[in-house]
Amino acid sequence: MALPDCRLPSTGWGRLILHRTRPQAGKRWTDSGEFHDERGLKNRPPGETRVVPLPPHLVAMWRERVATFGTADDGRLFFTDQGRIISYGTYHRVAAGRTSA
């Protein structure tokens, strides 16, 4: 998710405009040889987008995050300390409450 695809107003509801996915499969299983291949949105024609509403409390959190950490070189809001894509394992550990590697 990149900053240009987010509407983060100073108050009220925001929105995300999703254009693509980048599922993690591993280098051996992607067409590009990278860990993540770019894909269109599931069950949608190529080029179609999906608008997702963002509640005010998330808009405020994301605005604060961008002000604190900025974005990756390509505009992504969430990235590793080296600017890379965050892995599924990291998301899973955070969701499970385990942040140490």
Side-chain angles (χ1 to χ4, degrees), residues 69-84:
F69 299 104
T71 62
D73 290 342
D74 62 0
R76 281 178 293 116
L77 272 65
F78 303 101
F79 50 93
T80 68
D81 54 347
Q82 292 93 23
R84 297 186 185 123

Side-chain angles (χ1 to χ4, degrees), residues 4-24:
D5 299 327
C6 301
R7 303 299 178 258
L8 304 173
S10 57
T11 61
W13 283 76
R15 66 182 175 153
L16 310 175
I17 302 170
L18 304 177
H19 299 271
R20 63 190 169 120
T21 62
R22 294 198 65 188
Q24 179 177 334

Side-chain angles (χ1 to χ4, degrees), residues 8-70:
L8 304 173
S10 57
T11 61
W13 283 76
R15 66 182 175 153
L16 310 175
I17 302 170
L18 304 177
H19 299 271
R20 63 190 169 120
T21 62
R22 294 198 65 188
Q24 179 177 334
K27 291 181 178 186
R28 293 180 56 194
W29 308 108
T30 61
D31 295 334
S32 66
E34 299 294 326
F35 281 105
H36 301 86
D37 262 350
E38 283 194 27
R39 303 271 186 224
L41 300 176
K42 255 186 184 174
N43 300 319
R44 294 184 186 259
E48 191 170 315
T49 61
R50 177 178 177 205
V51 177
V52 179
L54 209 94
H57 70 279
L58 285 181
V59 170
M61 287 173 57
W62 287 15
R63 286 175 60 86
E64 181 179 337
R65 189 191 189 301
V66 170
T68 302
F69 299 104

